[in-house]
Amino acid sequence: MCDVNGKFKLCTCSEKIDKKKPYWVLKSNRQKGEEFGVLGMFSQPNPIFTPILRRNILRRLNSVKSIFDFEYTPKEKDLLKLCGEYDEYYCEFINGKWRWIENFDYIGKKEGEFKNKSKGYIKGSKSKLMEVLNEYHKLTKTNLYRTLDFGMIEPKNEFEETLYFSSKRNQRELIQLIEEEINKIN
């Protein structure tokens, strides 16, 4: 199974979407409908891994010409929802680029009428980061990628405490740190 952190492609399908697999929804050609503000509490993205995923998703959307398996030119205010293994991610096409929007912003925008709606599966290979996260999870039965509300994370051991409460790391550093811990366990 692929993830949105790696090299992915957005493929259409004629069948009903299995929401247990990574999928996407694109709403384009906004016709009318007001955006509204949303108040309330929402789950927070994982503070360690989401910034990395965010950069990788936006880089791919804005640099790969044929990210979809059909001919598509984004238009102003198009909305894209990517549902990965752990979280949902939202983007809007603004001023010629895909930009990240938070889940509560997406909820406020999605109520308008759109001329087109497409959906399908996210295809591609599993990224190295998600591979090491899954390997750590198999060995320890602890999920490092937590999506708990309000960003509250309870480390289960010294390694996780170091991981969660140290300075921000880039993807390569996180992979190396997790691989070193896996090697210690094995």
Side-chain angles (χ1 to χ4, degrees):
M1 184 179 306
C2 75
D3 65 71
V4 293
N5 188 52
K7 293 182 179 181
F8 63 86
K9 184 152 184 99
L10 304 176
C11 302
T12 53
C13 61
S14 58
E15 60 200 57
K16 188 175 177 174
I17 297 290
D18 178 357
K19 294 188 176 181
K20 293 178 183 146
K21 297 177 182 175
Y23 70 96
W24 59 272
V25 176
L26 173 68
K27 294 181 178 187
S28 60
N29 294 333
R30 186 183 198 103
Q31 299 297 296
K32 60 182 177 179
E34 292 184 30
E35 294 178 11
F36 57 90
V38 178
L39 299 174
M41 302 186 137
F42 297 89
S43 64
Q44 300 296 311
N46 188 290
I48 296 170
F49 301 108
T50 299
I52 291 170
L53 293 171
R54 176 183 185 161
R55 281 191 303 272
N56 291 344
I57 289 168
L58 290 175
R59 184 180 307 123
R60 186 135 181 95
L61 288 174
N62 288 315
S63 66
V64 176
K65 297 284 185 226
S66 58
I67 195 78
F68 292 92
D69 70 347
F70 59 94
E71 201 162 313
Y72 166 71
T73 302
K75 293 180 179 55
E76 195 72 11
K77 303 267 187 195
D78 282 1
L79 294 175
L80 178 62
K81 175 182 174 182
L82 300 168
C83 301
E85 189 173 346
Y86 298 103
D87 282 328
E88 294 179 352
Y89 309 100
Y90 308 94
C91 298
E92 182 174 21
F93 196 77
I94 303 170
N95 296 327
K97 288 177 80 172
W98 286 105
R99 305 203 187 262
W100 190 267
I101 58 175
E102 301 302 330
N103 59 359
F104 50 86
D105 288 330
Y106 177 83
I107 291 168
K109 294 173 184 295
K110 74 176 186 175
E111 296 305 318
E113 290 182 29
F114 292 84
K115 187 176 178 183
N116 301 323
K117 182 178 177 183
S118 304
K119 59 186 175 181
Y121 289 107
I122 301 170
K123 299 215 175 178
S125 58
K126 186 82 110 169
S127 68
K128 180 69 173 173
L129 178 58
M130 293 303 160
E131 284 177 4
V132 296
L133 287 173
N134 287 343
E135 189 174 345
Y136 182 84
H137 176 71
K138 285 178 190 173
L139 288 171
T140 64
K141 306 296 185 231
T142 301
N143 188 356
L144 290 177
Y145 195 107
R146 295 204 180 87
T147 56
L148 299 174
D149 289 346
F150 315 114
M152 294 184 285
I153 295 171
E154 296 178 30
K156 304 289 184 202
N157 56 45
E158 191 176 311
F159 165 69
E160 289 183 25
E161 194 161 320
T162 301
L163 182 67
Y164 286 111
F165 298 114
S166 61
S167 62
K168 291 184 180 182
R169 301 174 193 277
N170 65 36
Q171 181 170 315
R172 189 180 349 230
E173 292 168 335
L174 277 173
I175 290 169
Q176 183 178 355
L177 186 67
I178 297 166
E179 284 179 330
E180 288 170 2
E181 185 64 19
I182 288 169
N183 289 335
K184 286 179 191 174
I185 295 169
N186 282 332

